[in-house]
Amino acid sequence: MNEERYQELNAYLNEIFKYCEEENYFFLRNIEELAKMNDLFLQYIMDKPVEDKTVENNMTFEEVLTITRSIIASIDKSYLKDFDQLLETGVLDFSFQKEYEDSCFTHIEKKGQTYNLININREFNYDDVLSLVHEFIHFTNGKETIGANWQVLTEFLSIYFEIYATEYLCNNGVLDNEIRYKDRLRIAKGHASVFSRYEIVFLAYEKFGAIDKNTQKFLSNYILNISEKQFELECYNLYNNLRRIDKKYKEDTKWKKKQGSISKWSNSFITSNYRYVFGTILAFYARKYVDMDKIIYLNNHLHAMEEKSVTEICHGLGIPIGLASEIEEMDAQIAASQQKMNQKFLMKAFSSMDDYLEKHHNNIKR
């Protein structure tokens, strides 16, 4: 990396970080802890066989709705009023030809009006049920307004109840070769791999400012041990990726119209990467160690908790994470305690994942 490339890289990072400061501040404040969690999750999941296939059994959309309704009722009957109106209100749309990139929930606020959409790409099997449960939970906590804590925790809630739905189906006689039960871990693995490609350079920029040939020394002295050669490679790869995105943005009118600015586009993948990894870890921990009534309460009161930090919310559930930046004036002793807390939390979350995979593997064999 020559000086000119460092300057270009810093220009990209400056644009992205300005947008993140307004739209994704949690990520910037906690990037060090999130990166550590991401690395440990990657180490855990890297050799796990998380690819799986399901059979198509030609389920009708009426069957999908009926089965999903029974799952929603078992979670909280108060959700049924909204669920029963999904088709009537036009919120829910089933795609039979995979018109959408993926199943998703979309919340739009425009000219004082609020619009909510749930799009489901049909797989014509029980995966459609899991997708609908996942997206409907997004709807329950995001139909009115979305705040900073919603941005961070909504994937956790949807993934948690998707896992619950998987267990519900298995307990009611559905075999796991009819459910893509590893999908949450596969998706999280993909997001963790992408996150790992830019986390070090982002961390360096957030901690020390503009990147240059001396940044590696600061990183090695204060944050993590990394060689000069490795750090330069990390910078070069990120520089090339952002340059490619920038070129496409400038040359492709349709892409530009769809994605918006490069900073907005970059923020969208940053948001999805850490939210899916963080949310998956929280969800698997909570499924084993937290009473479901507490998760339902959080889902129903998430917007009333905007004044609380994510750490406070998680501790209220009994999830012992330690996001150091959310504890003011932390001294070295408390910071070290938080690190140990995170290690124990992650080991228990990974243990929950092991139990989940073993249980459903045995369900296929029966």
Side-chain angles (χ1 to χ4, degrees), residues 52 54 127 130 166 176-177 179-185 284 356-357 360-362 364:
D52 56 3
T54 50
D127 289 337
L130 300 182
T166 300
D176 282 298
N177 61 1
I179 308 173
R180 196 175 285 121
Y181 71 93
K182 299 177 185 177
D183 218 32
R184 274 301 127 202
L185 292 172
F284 274 94
Y356 173 86
L357 289 171
H360 292 283
H361 178 70
N362 291 336
I364 287 178

Side-chain angles (χ1 to χ4, degrees), residues 39-140:
D39 291 345
L40 289 171
F41 174 71
L42 263 183
Q43 289 176 26
Y44 163 79
I45 203 70
M46 191 53 68
D47 296 325
K48 300 287 183 183
V50 292
E51 299 290 337
D52 56 3
K53 296 180 180 180
T54 50
V55 296
E56 183 176 308
N57 57 17
N58 298 313
M59 288 182 69
T60 66
F61 78 89
E62 290 93 347
E63 289 172 321
V64 172
L65 286 172
T66 299
I67 297 169
T68 304
R69 189 182 191 279
S70 67
I71 296 173
I72 297 302
S74 73
I75 295 171
D76 190 335
K77 288 185 171 60
S78 70
Y79 296 158
L80 291 179
K81 181 179 179 181
D82 279 337
F83 185 83
D84 290 339
Q85 293 178 345
L86 288 179
L87 287 175
E88 179 184 334
T89 57
V91 170
L92 175 62
D93 182 38
F94 282 111
S95 163
F96 292 89
Q97 301 296 327
K98 297 193 185 321
E99 292 93 343
Y100 309 116
E101 292 182 10
D102 199 359
S103 297
C104 63
F105 164 73
T106 306
H107 173 92
I108 302 170
E109 295 181 14
K110 187 176 182 181
K111 296 181 179 180
Q113 296 291 319
T114 298
Y115 304 92
N116 296 296
L117 299 171
I118 295 175
N119 298 324
I120 303 295
N121 264 351
R122 290 296 311 276
E123 299 291 340
F124 301 97
N125 56 26
Y126 286 101
D127 289 337
D128 294 341
V129 173
L130 300 182
S131 293
L132 184 50
V133 170
H134 182 104
E135 303 307 337
F136 180 72
I137 294 299
H138 281 314
F139 173 78
T140 62

Side-chain angles (χ1 to χ4, degrees), residues 203-217:
L203 176 60
Y205 189 83
E206 195 277 331
K207 295 292 184 183
F208 307 116
I211 306 294
D212 59 29
K213 61 183 181 180
N214 296 314
T215 301
Q216 173 268 334
K217 296 177 183 177

